[in-house]
Amino acid sequence: MQAEMQQVMRTIRWLQGYAILASIALVVLFVRNGVEEEDVLRARGLIIEDEVGRERILIGAPVPEAANRVRTDDARVREVWAPRFPEAYMDYYQDYSHDTNGMLILSEDGFDRLVVGDPTPDPNIGRRIAPATGMVINDDQGFERSGYGVLAVNGGYNVGLGLDTDRIAEGLSLVLQDDGPHGILVGTPADGIFLGTAPAGHAWTGLEEEFSGLLARRDGEIVHQLNLAAGN
């Protein structure tokens, strides 16, 4: 667990550094284009192209449309993503949100690679439980591999950092929910290890009592439990 904690902290520092660099880059971009100190530049959107004219960086509120963006091209979605999922995938896909107010970086093939925004787009495998403000990092095929965000859920806030596996599933999560668990989850609540605290009756532990400690499950069954809140 110590190594996993160190990995989580390194990831958080990397995300913070990337956000700072992105902000500095935007400021430099505006200054280099002749914006004087007493002026205000107003725009609905900005598209940065690479040397061969491919749209690579989208900035806006919301970000402008891009002709080569896979997420907003149903024909390409049907070609590159739909074959991996059940037949009803395209029906569900019509309800996914692709917009963001912020900055989006595209690969040369048009896949979303990095998003910093409010809210961030839904993953291409399903809708989020609530709009998220934060950062999302995708692999070269547009599948989410890491994200850091804040979500308003049921009158409270969920703050989380997730690292996903190549099987499109949560691999490692650092979670803080106002009225729920605080801790680290390796795998899933039903098949993984949870280190942290959770209120009595929470689904992550399945325990009637308050939890504080280490809980390991395999195929939904508890195989190890150290609950300091219960004194065992």
Side-chain angles (χ1 to χ4, degrees):
M1 292 300 294
Q2 182 178 2
E4 291 158 350
M5 279 290 293
Q6 292 174 344
Q7 177 61 36
V8 169
M9 297 308 298
R10 285 195 295 268
T11 302
I12 292 175
R13 289 194 293 269
W14 186 88
L15 292 174
Q16 291 173 334
Y18 208 115
I20 291 172
L21 289 175
S23 300
I24 293 173
L26 289 177
V27 172
V28 171
L29 175 65
F30 291 148
V31 171
R32 287 176 62 86
N33 279 276
V35 179
E36 298 180 2
E37 184 176 351
E38 66 271 20
D39 292 335
V40 176
L41 178 64
R42 295 181 182 273
R44 293 294 302 275
L46 176 66
I47 298 177
I48 307 297
E49 299 180 347
D50 62 18
E51 67 277 4
V52 296
R54 291 175 297 214
E55 298 146 317
R56 299 297 299 274
I57 302 176
L58 313 178
I59 301 172
V63 296
E65 294 184 4
N68 69 326
R69 188 185 180 198
V70 172
R71 285 203 60 141
T72 51
D73 186 336
D74 279 0
R76 294 193 66 190
V77 170
R78 193 179 301 277
E79 175 187 354
V80 301
W81 289 337
R84 307 187 187 196
F85 302 102
E87 187 175 345
Y89 175 78
M90 290 304 300
D91 294 331
Y92 293 123
Y93 190 82
Q94 303 309 310
D95 293 329
Y96 298 172
S97 173
H98 312 299
D99 292 335
T100 186
N101 299 313
M103 180 179 69
L104 166 63
I105 297 179
L106 298 171
S107 71
E108 63 181 23
D109 297 320
F111 292 104
D112 290 19
R113 292 304 308 271
L114 172 68
V115 185
V116 180
D118 172 36
T120 54
D122 287 328
N124 62 350
I125 60 170
R127 300 188 64 179
R128 301 190 191 282
I129 60 173
T133 300
M135 175 183 294
V136 174
I137 302 172
N138 299 331
D139 66 15
D140 61 1
Q141 290 296 304
F143 289 93
E144 187 170 318
R145 291 303 301 266
S146 181
Y148 176 64
V150 178
L151 297 79
V153 181
N154 298 327
Y157 284 98
N158 293 0
V159 183
L161 169 66
L163 286 74
D164 299 343
T165 71
D166 59 359
R167 296 184 297 277
I168 318 175
E170 292 285 355
L172 179 64
S173 305
L174 178 63
V175 178
L176 190 156
Q177 298 180 5
D178 286 351
D179 298 319
H182 302 170
I184 297 175
L185 178 65
V186 182
T188 69
D191 197 1
I193 299 172
F194 173 63
L195 174 64
T197 64
H202 196 275
W204 276 25
T205 64
L207 303 175
E208 295 182 358
E209 68 269 18
E210 181 182 355
F211 181 82
S212 178
L214 177 68
L215 183 69
R217 285 179 180 272
R218 181 175 299 155
D219 297 327
E221 299 294 328
I222 295 176
V223 295
H224 182 75
Q225 178 184 165
L226 173 62
N227 189 359
L228 301 179
N232 57 25

